[in-house]
Amino acid sequence: MDLAKHHLQGTSAIYYIPNFISEDEEQYLLRKIEDSPKQKWKMLNNRRLQLWGGEILQKNVLFRNDLPPFLNHYPDVLGRLKFTGAFDQSPHKGPNHVILNEYHPGQGIMPHEDGPSYHPVVATISLGSHTAFHYYRYKDNESVNGDSGATGRSVEHTPLLSLILEPRSVVVTTGELYTMHLHGIDEVDADTFAGDGFLLLPSGSQSLIMNHHMIQDKSIAQIIESGGTIERTTRHSLTCRDVEKVAGGR
Ligand SMILES: O=C(O)CCC(=O)C(=O)O
Ligand SMILES: [Fe+2]
């Protein structure tokens, strides 16, 4: 696959591929997720998740678990990701770890960095619903005191860049956007567009959707261009990465 064809212009290091999986594959994956044992879910305050491929327990080392067949046999999304070439420079030449996140409308994920356990390439597949995904910059020379008393760096309020992720798409983030910036999803029920590619943020300001010209879903594309609101439904995302260090060395 020619990854360069999917490069997001105006960014150093983002690739966006619509319809990375088919509708049948999406339904199959959603069924497998629904059928997964209840105890696989880790409950967080405002989201639940599952870890596949193992757990990162100490010193950024992955203690491996088998990946489920729906990731590496049918529909083999991990093989397909390898084939894009995005992971050619990573130690295992492909993702060995997947986080499944579930977001109901109104749920999201605070701006964060993914940290040093992973090779700095991340591929995220969206299932079931679109979402708006933001990258943020740290503020220069400014720190804040967090709840734990730890001093952190404060984050710019307005995203550096924003994307709409369609169901069945994959977004690949590499380089500085991964290593120096943060990413997050606002906790909103719906996304409202001002037209001409601009998203209205909860703060009232606007952010240009950088991939608006790459959107394949006609109704989503039309609302992004002309203005309007798209309700979110439940979204499942598969965040696929290569953990560099693996217990036992493989
Ligand atoms: O659900 C997403 O698209 C992002 C998830 C994420 O950033 C993470 O799990 O670290
Ligand atoms: Fe993340």
Side-chain angles (χ1 to χ4, degrees):
M1 179 187 274
D2 186 6
L3 195 60
K5 205 173 77 191
H6 301 282
H7 175 236
L8 180 59
Q9 279 185 7
T11 72
S12 57
I14 296 179
Y15 301 87
Y16 178 74
I17 311 178
N19 296 315
F20 185 68
I21 62 170
S22 70
E23 288 189 27
D24 285 349
E25 290 166 343
E26 178 187 36
Q27 289 311 313
Y28 182 84
L29 289 168
L30 287 171
R31 240 184 355 260
K32 290 291 173 191
I33 291 166
E34 199 176 319
D35 293 346
S36 63
K38 288 264 177 301
Q39 64 270 21
K40 276 288 287 171
W41 289 104
K42 289 182 192 295
M43 313 301 287
L44 306 184
N45 270 346
N46 197 17
R47 183 163 55 92
R48 60 177 189 167
L49 61 80
Q50 294 187 24
L51 303 175
W52 291 328
E55 295 208 30
I56 300 163
L57 292 178
Q58 45 179 311
K59 297 198 173 135
N60 303 324
V61 176
L62 177 70
F63 287 78
R64 264 201 206 267
N65 260 326
D66 285 344
L67 285 155
F70 52 87
L71 290 179
N72 55 14
H73 290 282
Y74 175 81
D76 193 16
V77 291
L78 295 181
R80 213 173 290 176
L81 285 173
K82 242 185 217 186
F83 186 64
T84 64
F87 289 88
D88 282 0
Q89 310 303 320
S90 88
H92 306 95
K93 307 281 180 240
N96 59 8
H97 190 256
V98 177
I99 300 181
L100 161 66
N101 281 295
E102 179 184 84
Y103 306 88
H104 294 304
Q107 297 186 325
I109 187 166
M110 294 262 293
H112 65 279
E113 279 187 74
D114 287 352
S117 312
Y118 306 100
H119 176 76
V121 172
V122 54
T124 299
I125 298 170
S126 294
L127 307 171
S129 176
H130 82 283
T131 200
F133 193 84
H134 303 295
Y135 298 85
Y136 298 89
R137 229 187 335 223
Y138 285 105
K139 284 185 188 165
D140 293 333
N141 311 320
E142 206 179 295
S143 61
V144 286
N145 292 315
D147 296 341
S148 60
T151 303
R153 296 163 72 193
S154 50
V155 177
E156 285 190 356
H157 215 68
T158 303
L160 172 67
L161 69 95
S162 302
L163 305 176
I164 289 297
L165 308 181
E166 297 168 89
R168 300 179 296 284
S169 69
V170 66
V171 59
V172 178
T173 306
T174 67
E176 281 200 357
L177 273 169
Y178 184 93
T179 54
M180 317 250 302
H181 295 79
L182 306 95
H183 54 273
I185 297 171
D186 287 332
E187 297 182 332
V188 295
D189 292 315
D191 295 289
T192 298
F193 298 87
D196 296 326
F198 282 91
L199 176 75
L200 273 170
L201 299 168
S203 64
S205 54
Q206 298 186 8
S207 188
L208 178 64
I209 298 297
M210 287 290 280
N211 64 335
H212 70 109
H213 55 287
M214 297 168 105
I215 299 296
Q216 288 299 303
D217 182 307
K218 289 203 170 55
S219 61
I220 297 180
Q222 208 245 322
I223 291 175
I224 299 176
E225 294 320 313
S226 312
T229 295
I230 314 175
E231 299 291 330
R232 290 190 187 169
T233 58
T234 297
R235 171 175 177 265
H236 290 92
S237 64
L238 306 176
T239 296
C240 309
R241 290 173 287 207
D242 188 3
V243 184
E244 299 193 328
K245 290 186 230 158
V246 174
R250 284 173 301 120

